[in-house]
Amino acid sequence: MRAAFTRTLISLSLLSSQAVWAIPFQTQIVIDSTDNPLSITSADFNNDGNADLALTSYSNDKTNNEIKVLLGAGDATFGTAISYTTGTAPSSITSGDFNGGGIDLAVANSDDNTISVFINNTDGSFANRIDYTTGTTPVYILAAELNDSNIDLITANSGNNTLSVFINNNDGSFASKTDYSTGQTPNAITASDFDSDGDIDLAVTNATDNTVSVFLNNGEGLFASKVDYTTGSTPSAIASQDISGDSYPDLVISNSSDSTLSVFLNQGASNPGIFYAKIDYSAGTTPAFVSISDLDNDSDLDIAVSNSATDTISIFSNNSDGSLSPKTDAISIKAPNAIIAQDIDNDTYIDLITTNLESHNFSYLKNLTAQTPDSITFTAQTDVARSSKITSNQVTLSGLLNSTTLNISGKEISNPDNTTTQSAEYSIDGGNTFTSEPSTVSNGATIRVRLLSSDLYNKTETATITIGGLSAEFNVTTIAENETPAEFSFTAVAGVEPGTIITTESITINWLDTTASILIAGGEYSINDADFTSASGSINNNDTLRLRLTSPDSYGARKEALVSINSGEKTATFVVFTKDNPSNDSGGGSSSLSIWLSLLMIGALLRRRLSRSPA
């Protein structure tokens, strides 16, 4: 009975923006954990149309040696792993239909110099292993049809520098090995019809002497002596397909010591099976494995490389002629090793599955190409009011092939009732309802973002929208604090009766960040229409302020009230003039001068007091 499918925890962290990531991938999604997962293969083992997985695993003391088989549900989830015992230290796994009854498995066991063959029971379960003797320390195994019959097996034997070829007996059993001399420390194999003569040839990387050896097939599964080509330093993996579009397979090799990818283009029709000198591309640090596939469905073949020392997968997009764009890096986890390309969620786009040695697990990077829209831009807004909800321009999604999830992130805000809300929200298709919850969007949807601005001056807040492999920001910056506070003043009043109480209009204080002190001389003040007072006090931003004073007792006189906010940071005066003497008695001039001089003295004393006040 098929095991129940167990869903694994999925990280929703996405890659930055489509402009940066030519082929966008979701960050690592763990499938399951296991010890020393050196190698992995994928095929439809139970013939249900979904991709399944099989990988090698062994304990550190090498007492537990096995392969694990996981049957896929077609949605990137897998059933519980079923284990099968192998030889000691299984280091490489391959798959193929060895007897016409379904996809079978074969494993190279590096410590006991054998391969283990597991024949499929036609339902995705496997019979017990049958072992065959290899050369010394087989570290890599490959399945390929070498003599125009059933699938055969080949191992790279790093201990005695040989390839071992096992020809299928046409029933899923294999004849004893035939060995071919390689370069020093062979460690990876690929198979293709390099010379376009209708049979499958082999190429093997040699880690110690920095070469790749090409073996041309004579048509019967027998091979001519090797022809060597110089690689980068310590070649670690090899793959072959036609990346240049001329119908002749090329070679792609990762070099672990100089962190490069070497491409050997086939000379094609002029010299089939002969390769031009390598073209190198910078990979991540210590590349371990290489895979070739059409990652963006544009009909040319792209390349993925696992970088064990930088915990990344480098993606090289094909320029449609076999030349590669500079790498972009997707994050894996702790020493990725083997990497395979397979559509495990049935969305027609190729995902990448890796084994991760230091984290003892295997995981995949979901291909987001079909779920990534064309670039969108939210126009940044500046000089906005503090603590205000600011709405962006509206953008329209284009380029989406499949519907996908939209997420938004901003800043978490604590509420008085101990709940939290998000500062960032969005609205779809012009609606007035904004939300911070994820939702599904399709091509043609319109999006607006709403963001709560900071409560500080000259502070930028950011909302980030993520849609598939695309992210876009909406930035909102509050108005800068005015170092010289805004002017405030009171309208002078003239022609009043002597001895009359005169009150100013109300003004609003709008530049303060915190509570400030207030002093007055020559009059009284009122805050927010409270009682008038002449005592020192405090005032806050957005408070209203009025002044009042009693006009002079004589005609033709002047009087002022002087108010100071924040220890002299800003001052204003309120001036009142009494009307002229109805009898035109000029004696009032002497009285007016006396009062004016008195007020000047009061003002001087107030300013002196303010200058002594602490800041």
Side-chain angles (χ1 to χ4, degrees), residues 319-374:
N319 296 322
S320 299
D321 59 0
S323 67
L324 306 177
S325 297
K327 71 179 177 71
T328 55
D329 287 339
I331 297 172
S332 180
I333 189 169
K334 297 304 179 185
N337 188 58
I339 182 171
I340 56 173
Q342 182 70 267
D343 177 16
I344 62 172
D345 53 12
N346 288 334
D347 67 353
T348 74
Y349 281 81
I350 300 296
D351 309 301
L352 297 174
I353 302 100
T354 68
T355 62
N356 308 298
L357 297 183
E358 287 189 17
S359 53
H360 304 288
N361 62 17
F362 50 107
S363 57
Y364 78 101
L365 301 174
K366 177 177 173 56
N367 192 327
L368 297 173
T369 300
Q371 296 166 268
T372 299
D374 297 332

Side-chain angles (χ1 to χ4, degrees), residues 482-529:
N482 192 347
E483 294 182 1
T484 302
E487 293 291 334
F488 76 108
S489 61
F490 298 94
T491 304
V493 179
V496 304
E497 290 290 339
T500 305
I501 296 174
I502 307 299
T503 303
T504 68
E505 74 277 20
S506 179
I507 67 169
T508 300
I509 304 304
N510 61 5
W511 71 85
L512 295 175
D513 273 332
T514 60
T515 300
S517 60
I518 182 169
L519 299 173
I520 193 167
E524 299 172 299
Y525 65 89
S526 169
I527 297 174
N528 297 330
D529 295 325

Side-chain angles (χ1 to χ4, degrees), residues 444-462:
T446 61
I447 309 294
R448 290 183 299 158
V449 176
R450 187 168 69 181
L451 179 63
L452 181 65
S453 66
S454 173
D455 59 355
L456 302 176
Y457 285 110
N458 198 30
K459 174 72 173 177
T460 299
E461 297 290 350
T462 300

Side-chain angles (χ1 to χ4, degrees), residues 81-119:
I82 305 299
S83 296
Y84 299 86
T85 300
T86 68
T88 306
S91 58
S92 180
I93 190 169
T94 190
S95 55
D97 185 358
F98 304 151
N99 65 352
I103 303 299
D104 310 301
L105 297 171
V107 178
N109 306 302
S110 60
D111 277 17
D112 59 10
N113 305 325
T114 62
I115 60 173
S116 298
V117 175
F118 297 83
I119 299 299

Side-chain angles (χ1 to χ4, degrees), residues 17 20 111 117 147-148 167 272 301 331-332 421 428 451 470 477 577 609:
S17 78
V20 176
D111 277 17
V117 175
N147 62 352
D148 197 25
I167 298 298
L301 296 174
I331 297 172
S332 180
T421 55
I428 298 177
L451 179 63
L470 174 76
T477 305
F577 297 90
R609 177 182 174 187

